[in-house]
Amino acid sequence: MHTISTFGELLSAAHCQYLIYDMGRRVQPIDVMAFHQIEALRAPYPAPIQGHACFALVFWERPGMPFIWFLKMPLDEQGLLNPAGRSQFIEMLLTAMGQNLQNELTEAQQQQLANHPFNFRPSQEKLALFNALLRQQQGQAASVQYDYACQYLAGKAPSQQWQAVGLQGLADICARAHLLDHPQLLCHGITSSAIATEVKIALCQLLEHIQLPELLAQEIVRLFPQQDAVLKPYYLRALASHPQHCTTLIKQLSLSQGLDQELLLAIAARVWHILKQEPCRKIFLESLALQSQDFFNGIFADIVAIPAIRPMLLNELRSPDRSVQLSAAIGGLFRNTQK
């Protein structure tokens, strides 16, 4: 009998259809064939975070009734999936459920699976956006919070009643950002002074995971210089799907206030793709070198694991053009790794 060793084999054996979403840096679908390559250890995980692959496996036998696993799997130094961790989870799952992944579990089995070491719970914003995207993909209606969120963003509800706006309702709008009048709704939500700051922050935390309509992206760029230090990182993160606009803002910031810790975190977490460009990479690293050594070490170790930018970042370690501050920070990084 063939031993089941991958998630793909497990779900195929259970006669399930399935989808994969990255849940680490941005909520993004992962192509099933690309995931097969990751599972076969032929390709690194594309967006690792703190040495792990964080993803959702969505599977179903009957349409409209999906099961979801949120998994956090360790990666090796090359960004490849650790097969031992995957095998441990699959073995535990098969022991509890057998070949039928839709079996009803006893309370004890549910508790055992809920407490397995590879389980994780995404942040509220990621979970809300994921739910909205999945409901839309499955042809299901938006949540009950959707209508009021639309009314609030349109200015048809009292602005002081922002606490009645549900995060899931905002996520439903963002998941439908290109439909109906939603681009205009989102623009009003971001630009209007009547919209509470708390709602604007929540919108930005949702928008960072989707492809923004160009109209909305341009409005965020236009408003960015007027924002205070609290809002700027959120506005930058919201532009994650538009690297050209992020590049413009990073260059502007380098000539004015520079990049503080919150902006550096925003780049590392959501708009790391701009670090493929040499000017942005140098601005980022030179600003990072002005922070504490521990902060530099933590951020660099996290982003150097991203396959798309790893070679470029490693080349910067040997660049003869780096500043004295960056050279010192790199020296501190090496000393830390040798301990």
Side-chain angles (χ1 to χ4, degrees), residues 9 23 73 77 107 117 136 166 183 197 237 281-282 324:
E9 290 173 348
M23 299 296 294
M73 292 284 166
E77 292 183 356
E107 186 172 338
Q136 189 179 31
T197 298
R237 287 165 56 144
R281 191 164 62 250
K282 290 188 178 301
V324 173

Side-chain angles (χ1 to χ4, degrees), residues 70-123:
F70 292 112
L71 299 174
K72 183 178 181 179
M73 292 284 166
L75 303 170
D76 66 15
E77 292 183 356
Q78 295 178 304
L80 298 175
L81 202 64
N82 184 328
R86 176 187 57 192
S87 297
Q88 181 183 343
F89 174 76
I90 289 175
E91 182 179 351
M92 182 177 60
L93 191 70
L94 290 175
T95 300
M97 305 183 74
Q99 294 292 330
N100 189 350
L101 301 183
Q102 283 87 28
N103 276 340
E104 291 291 330
L105 296 177
T106 66
E107 186 172 338
Q109 288 172 324
Q110 290 178 7
Q111 187 67 25
Q112 177 187 356
L113 287 176
N115 293 329
H116 69 75
F118 307 108
N119 184 49
F120 89 105
R121 184 166 181 82
S123 66

Side-chain angles (χ1 to χ4, degrees), residues 282 285 300 304 310-322 326-327 330 334:
K282 290 188 178 301
L285 290 175
F300 191 88
V304 79
R310 179 178 173 83
M312 303 162 193
L313 290 171
L314 292 177
N315 283 338
E316 292 293 341
L317 298 183
R318 298 183 290 270
S319 172
D321 300 327
R322 62 181 185 261
L326 181 54
S327 296
I330 291 170
F334 285 138

